[in-house]
Amino acid sequence: MKTDALILPAVRRALNGLSKVSPERAGKIAYGLLAKPRRPSFGKEAEDFLAKANSRSIVSEGKRIAVYNWPGQGPSILMLHGWESSTGRWWPYYETFKDRGFDIHAIDAPAQGASEGTVFSAMAYAAAIGVYVESLEKPPQFWLGHSAGGMASIYYLCRLKGQIRPEKLLIMGVPSEMQNFVDKFCEIVGLNRIVHAGIEREFKQAFGFPFSHLSFSQMAEELEMPGLIIHDEGDDLAPVEGAKLIHQAWENSELMITQGRTHSVLGEDMPGIVADYFV
C-alpha cells in the first residue's frame, strides 16, 4: 500500500532509534504493531457476501467472536482467514461453494473483522475455533485455513487436542515456524536486532514460551486426517520451504506449489481446486 510505503520509513527510524535508548520500550511498541493488526475492508463484494450469512456471536476467552453460516444441504466447510484479514476475504469462493451445495461456516478471528479484541494470536484464534465447532450439533467436515487460519487449526488439533476433528484439512500459505513470520515482519519494517529481540521478549512475557515453541511443521507430525497444502513459490511472507517441511511431517498430506499467486494464493481457479479436493 502507498500509505505503508510512506509510514514504514518513519516507523523504522523511530523504533531503531528508540532501541539505542530504551530497548524494552522499542520492543514493546514493535510487538504492539505485530499483535494488533489492522482490520481491512474487502470491498462491496465482501459486504454483500457477509450480508447473505446467518451471523451471530460466540464468546471465547471473554471476547465476542463473530461467526457466520451460509446454509447448504451438502458437505460442510469451515473457512478460517489469516492475519490482518477477515471472513470477507472468502467472498470469491462463495458462488463455487454455493453451487456445490456446501454448508459454509466461518469465523472472524479475535481482534479481526467484526470480532472483539485488540490483540491477535494464533492461540486465541485456536481457542475460538474450539468454542465454535464444539458448540455445533454437526461440526464442519472440512476445514480451510489461510496463513494464520491454518496455524490456528493446527494448534487447535495438535496442542489444544481439540475433540472435533475434520475429515480433511486444507491449508494455504502457512509458515512452518512462527519465527519465520516474525523474521519477515522485522525484515519488511526494517527493524534491527535489538528491536527483534524485544518483540520475542514481549511475546514470551505474554504467553510463557518463545516463538520456537510454535513449530507448525513439528505439530504436523500429529495430524492424522488427510490434508492438502497449497503454497506459492513466490510467497513473500511464508517461505515455500516451510510448506515442504510441513508436508514431510504430515504423513497423510499432499503438496501443491503454485506460481504467481504470492501469499494470498489467489486465482479464479482456486475456489474450484479447493471444492474438488473436498468432494
Side-chain angles (χ1 to χ4, degrees):
M1 292 176 61
K2 186 178 294 184
T3 303
D4 292 337
L6 297 173
I7 293 174
L8 285 181
V11 172
R12 180 185 309 122
R13 288 193 298 270
L15 289 174
N16 289 342
L18 181 60
S19 71
K20 299 175 183 178
V21 180
S22 178
E24 290 189 4
R25 180 63 176 164
K28 189 179 294 292
I29 294 173
Y31 176 70
L33 293 175
L34 179 66
K36 299 178 182 179
R38 297 167 298 181
R39 298 182 188 238
S41 169
F42 290 94
K44 187 177 186 304
E45 293 92 344
E47 293 173 2
D48 292 343
F49 162 59
L50 294 174
K52 295 173 183 175
N54 295 330
S55 57
R56 62 185 180 91
S57 64
I58 59 172
V59 176
S60 178
E61 298 184 339
K63 299 292 189 295
R64 183 183 59 81
I65 304 300
V67 298
Y68 307 86
N69 177 225
W70 295 260
Q73 297 303 311
S76 53
I77 185 169
L78 173 64
M79 305 186 300
L80 302 162
H81 67 80
W83 183 75
E84 284 202 340
S85 188
S86 72
T87 294
R89 71 97 61 196
W90 297 114
W91 73 263
Y93 288 72
Y94 176 64
E95 292 299 328
T96 298
F97 285 3
K98 183 183 72 172
D99 290 345
R100 301 289 184 97
F102 278 109
D103 182 33
I104 307 167
H105 296 259
I107 298 176
D108 278 346
Q112 298 278 254
S115 292
E116 290 183 340
T118 57
V119 176
F120 174 89
S121 75
M123 291 75 73
Y125 198 174
I129 292 171
V131 171
Y132 182 57
V133 297
E134 292 167 19
S135 73
L136 298 173
E137 183 177 349
K138 293 183 178 180
Q141 299 163 259
F142 308 126
W143 293 10
L144 166 63
H146 175 251
S147 190
M151 293 161 61
S153 299
I154 295 172
Y155 194 88
Y156 168 80
L157 294 167
C158 301
R159 289 292 178 268
L160 298 185
K161 305 296 183 182
Q163 60 182 310
I164 304 300
R165 323 297 287 184
E167 294 178 15
K168 289 184 179 180
L169 171 64
L170 192 160
I171 59 174
M172 302 173 161
V174 174
S176 64
E177 316 295 323
M178 183 65 178
Q179 188 70 59
N180 294 342
F181 183 80
V182 178
D183 289 348
K184 193 63 182 181
F185 171 80
C186 290
E187 178 186 328
I188 291 172
V189 181
L191 302 177
N192 63 30
R193 292 183 180 181
I194 298 174
V195 181
H196 191 299
I199 293 175
E200 172 130 17
R201 182 176 57 251
E202 292 296 318
F203 180 89
K204 190 172 182 179
Q205 288 178 356
F207 298 104
F209 51 80
F211 291 131
S212 58
H213 180 79
L214 296 176
S215 172
F216 299 99
S217 59
Q218 289 183 5
M219 294 183 209
E221 294 177 357
E222 302 176 28
L223 293 172
E224 72 283 355
M225 72 287 296
L228 175 61
I229 303 159
I230 302 179
H231 210 104
D232 194 75
E233 188 177 69
D235 193 319
D236 53 348
L237 290 177
V240 69
E241 289 75 15
K244 296 175 183 178
L245 290 175
I246 294 175
H247 174 50
Q248 290 172 8
W250 186 354
E251 183 176 355
N252 202 8
S253 69
E254 302 172 51
L255 174 61
M256 176 187 294
I257 297 179
T258 63
Q259 294 181 332
R261 301 172 191 255
T262 67
H263 183 64
S264 296
V265 202
L266 297 174
E268 292 183 1
D269 59 339
M270 193 53 64
I273 290 172
V274 171
D276 287 344
Y277 176 72
F278 286 133
V279 297

